Amino acid sequence: MSGIFKRVKGFADIYGQDVARFNIMESCARNTFAKYGFNELRTPVLEQTGLFLRSIGTETDVVQKEMFTFPDRKGRSITLRPEATAGVMRAFLEESLDRNNPVARLFTIGPMFRYERPQKGRMRQFHQINCECLGSQSPYADAELICMLLNFLEAIDIRSLKLKINSLGCKKCRPAYMRLLGEYLHSQAGEAFCDDCRRRMDSNPLRVLDCKQPHCRELAAAAPRLLDHNCEECRQHFDVVTELLSSRNVDFEVDHNLVRGLDYYCRTTFEVVSNEIGAQTAVAGGGRYDGLIAQLGGADVPGVGFACGMERLALLMPEPENRPLDFYMLSIQAEQRPRAFELAQTLRKAGFFGEMNYEDGGFKGLMRRVSHSGARICLILGPDEAASNSITLKDMETGRQTGLSQDDLCAGLAKALNMPEKA
């Protein structure tokens, strides 16, 4: 076999500045969510296929077209997770994650897998940050989750965003609306809905409202509004959520076509969108799903959550600042390398960042390595320095060189870098 292996289509190598962005996102997520009492949960990337069939639904595009599903060696059907919530619900039930607290606050960070056409900000392996608050029906949980999401987005320095919000009603008031919506859609059936909308018109009519095709959107704009058909309890719930957001000066838009197509979704639904990354505008979204855990065989536990696409967020984040190396430990000859190795380890243990050379070379070539490393200070250890227990510090910006005792290296390097002295 000849040639170089290439990555599988739709899967990406993440490196350089993108890794820096992902690290910032993960750090800010953990810091922000901890302030709200959320705990991290790491679920497997493989689950039984039935979990997704039951939670996502057989009528969805995810299940019908996008899942990576295959039999294991015993013939059992397993699937690479296409989203995180189902696995969180399975873990919640299996591990009894509410045993110590009636409200479980959980978040996950990791890869998801969907077989769809790769495009900007969306790959077949993509990464999400998910948060789930399980155990409370209160509108305060909805509002707090939205505020937490916005605080996280602000922490990663993304600000050119818009929050959209709607109410989906509940199992008491939504059936009547669904009949009304169905009548409207069928009355417009001669107006050339797209193929997906014609299919969804009977199986999943709410999804017609969020179709991205311009003609379908035009027809959906005249459909009856869900919010106008909420029962009194749902209206009060939505009013409290919006009042709490307004009290925090959170700007939002009520979007009457913002829906979720699965039966267990209810009441609050929301999205955070951007116009800066092309047609795929949603960077985060979520809502209340009070019927999901019961649908998976558990008790009737209410829940609300959201998911963020990390690749899309990375497209909106500013360029991360690179931290330059503090030092490059340069041993001129092999005889000095053991001592150079020892000194470099001491500096790193003291908190400095740096590299060293492992091989011999001409002095000019070695200095080019130092320059390419971006280190601020070159620490030169040659035969003369080794004999006098000293080291030469060269400022790579000014070219200025000074001598220093090896015993005073930490203090001398900190001074050269204008940093507080390290222990």
Side-chain angles (χ1 to χ4, degrees), residues 301-320:
V301 177
V304 59
F306 68 76
C308 302
M310 296 178 71
E311 281 82 357
R312 294 192 189 180
L313 292 180
L315 293 172
L316 295 167
M317 290 175 66
E319 194 79 3

Side-chain angles (χ1 to χ4, degrees), residues 378-380 385 388-394 400-406 408-409 412-413:
C378 178
L379 303 173
I380 303 172
E385 287 86 0
S388 60
N389 193 41
S390 66
I391 198 160
T392 298
L393 281 70
K394 179 175 181 178
R400 182 170 176 267
Q401 294 189 180
T402 56
L404 182 71
S405 168
Q406 293 180 17
D408 299 325
L409 182 54
L413 181 57

